[in-house]
Amino acid sequence: PEILAEVAGRVGRDGRLVVVTAATRKHEEVAATYREVFGACGVAKLGVLDIRTREQAADPAAVEALDDAAVIFFTGGDQ
């Protein structure tokens, strides 16, 4: 909880946090959990990006989704 609160604090009042669920097969569950946690920490603008392959990571839409992020948070997962 301390680390997540620190991450949320670095987003700022008007910043946007992007959670990248790169290492999980449970994207929807993980995304919902982080939406709830970061929402409770006061993050108003939160995006979630599901990246599973190098091709997805290089997709212009994925790159664009990160352009205006104040903070990018990579989740843990099923390594």
Side-chain angles (χ1 to χ4, degrees), residues 1-18:
E2 288 178 39
I3 293 170
L4 298 179
E6 178 69 24
V7 170
R10 293 184 180 252
V11 175
R13 283 181 40 176
D14 296 322
R16 191 167 78 86
L17 169 66
V18 176

Side-chain angles (χ1 to χ4, degrees), residues 18-28 30-31 47-66 72-79:
V18 176
V19 175
V20 180
T21 59
T24 183
R25 293 183 181 149
K26 299 178 182 181
H27 166 74
E28 294 299 325
V30 172
V48 178
L49 189 56
D50 181 25
I51 300 292
R52 298 178 194 210
T53 67
R54 287 179 187 254
E55 291 77 21
Q56 289 174 328
D59 184 293
V63 174
E64 185 177 323
L66 301 174
I72 301 169
F73 181 81
F74 292 85
T75 65
D78 305 329
Q79 285 91 359

